[in-house]
Amino acid sequence: MTELAAADLDVVVVNYNAGAYLVRCLESVFGSAGDVSVAVAVVDNASRDRSARAAAERFPQIHVIENPDNRGLSAALNQGIRATASPFVLLLNPDAEITGGTLERLLKVARDHPRAGAVGPLIRNPDGSVYLSGRRFPTVGQAVGHALLGPLWPGNPFSRAYRIDDWDRTTEREVDWVSLACMLVPRAAFEDVGVFDEGFFLYAEELDFCTRLANAGWSVVFTPELEVTHEGGVSTGRSRRMTLEHSRGIYRYYAKHRSPGWRKALLPVAWLVLRLRAVLASLRGRQ
């Protein structure tokens, strides 16, 4: 609906029926910019609730891309990335709000770490608790233990090791990957390793991207300089279908990055484990 002006930072938000959350998200972006100039692109995946139109009416300076159908998260993110030109891109969920710090401070962290291909902030759940973004790439044992035990026993040792539970997230550190609910990426990293793999329709695309960053010699940094509150599930819901979609994404990641040589023979076992995890998660959700 409007072309983007040159800015220090581009913000890309993929929207799908996010309702009033999208406006609150954008209010928090413009309200936390500090001395950084910000341009926003909203990619709407055929929402039925007019949320992108409402956001454009509230913020006429944003650029809205309206898709005729739901292209999935990765493809829509790539549309936003390609429609922008600033040296840094902030990828932000429509149901996420910046609640502490400034984008200026987040951008400083990225500039202070020139080989950081992704920077992720501290993320809080709606109740104020800390969401454990900033994790390790799981070993095979951790992956199996987390998949089978995580839905019913969240504090199991496999999940704790994978999530780095003994770290309180009040300090900055390098990690293997951070959540795509809010991720800052220098455009140079996209130019080096490519944008998001559109084979990931929803879920695990950030895991894939951060793995490609690591393989190319980039780091990933977690910082508490910015805080974001993420509602979660506004666009996707928490249905069994979404749980299965999560399993498909993790399986695709495992097949792409963790199954060289003889390990490909384990792929059917991995699929069975992930389907069992989806069933367990669904049962837990009904309790």
Side-chain angles (χ1 to χ4, degrees):
M1 293 181 182
T2 184
E3 295 299 319
L4 287 174
D8 298 317
L9 173 68
D10 288 317
V11 179
V12 174
V13 180
V14 174
N15 181 63
Y16 180 68
N17 295 324
Y21 285 97
L22 177 60
V23 169
R24 293 203 292 269
C25 170
L26 299 183
E27 285 175 344
S28 77
V29 167
F30 290 116
S32 65
D35 290 333
V36 169
S37 59
V38 175
V40 174
V42 172
V43 184
D44 188 73
N45 266 337
S47 295
R48 299 180 300 275
D49 64 356
R50 292 193 76 256
S51 49
R53 293 295 179 99
E57 291 169 4
R58 173 70 176 81
F59 302 103
Q61 71 269 39
I62 69 174
H63 178 58
V64 177
I65 301 170
E66 295 182 294
N67 288 329
D69 52 18
N70 188 345
R71 298 192 59 198
L73 180 58
S74 293
L77 284 171
N78 291 344
Q79 283 180 276
I81 293 163
R82 289 168 177 144
T84 58
S86 299
F88 291 90
V89 184
L90 181 72
L91 309 168
L92 187 64
N93 276 18
D95 59 351
E97 291 184 53
I98 298 169
T99 50
T102 64
L103 293 175
E104 182 181 8
R105 285 161 60 181
L106 182 67
L107 203 55
K108 182 180 184 303
V109 173
R111 288 169 172 157
D112 287 345
H113 297 81
R115 285 303 296 172
V119 179
L122 188 149
I123 298 176
R124 293 190 183 275
N125 299 309
D127 64 1
S129 61
V130 174
Y131 173 76
L132 300 180
S133 178
R135 303 187 181 191
R136 295 188 174 101
F137 295 134
T139 65
V140 173
Q142 287 171 351
V144 172
H146 175 68
L148 292 179
L149 299 177
L152 300 177
W153 179 20
N156 72 81
F158 303 101
S159 297
R160 288 183 58 82
Y162 159 58
R163 295 185 308 237
I164 325 180
D165 279 10
D166 58 353
W167 164 44
D168 64 8
R169 267 74 178 175
T170 61
T171 57
E172 185 175 295
R173 64 175 284 177
E174 289 191 8
V175 294
D176 287 341
W177 68 284
V178 291
S179 170
L180 196 51
C182 183
M183 179 190 290
L184 178 67
V185 181
R187 194 169 298 274
F190 287 128
E191 292 169 351
D192 186 19
V193 307
V195 290
F196 291 95
D197 181 344
E198 296 183 10
F200 293 91
F201 183 83
L202 184 66
Y203 300 117
E205 50 280 297
E206 70 264 71
L207 189 53
D208 168 72
F209 178 67
C210 289
T211 299
R212 288 188 282 128
L213 287 175
N215 291 342
W218 293 83
S219 64
V220 173
V221 173
F222 172 94
T223 178
E225 286 294 320
L226 190 78
E227 289 195 18
V228 170
T229 297
H230 182 216
E231 179 70 24
V234 167
S235 296
T236 62
R238 295 175 176 85
S239 65
R240 185 171 185 271
R241 178 176 174 270
M242 287 299 101
T243 305
L244 290 173
E245 194 65 50
H246 179 270
S247 295
R248 292 189 187 98
I250 296 298
Y251 176 81
R252 190 174 197 278
Y253 172 79
Y254 182 84
K256 180 177 179 179
H257 293 287
R258 297 289 186 243
S259 301
W262 62 269
R263 291 184 178 85
K264 289 188 183 296
L266 298 176
L267 288 176
V269 176
W271 178 243
L272 288 174
V273 168
L274 288 167
R275 288 302 296 269
L276 178 57
R277 182 185 189 277
V279 170
L280 292 173
S282 297
L283 290 173
R284 184 170 182 257
R286 289 199 291 268
Q287 290 176 352

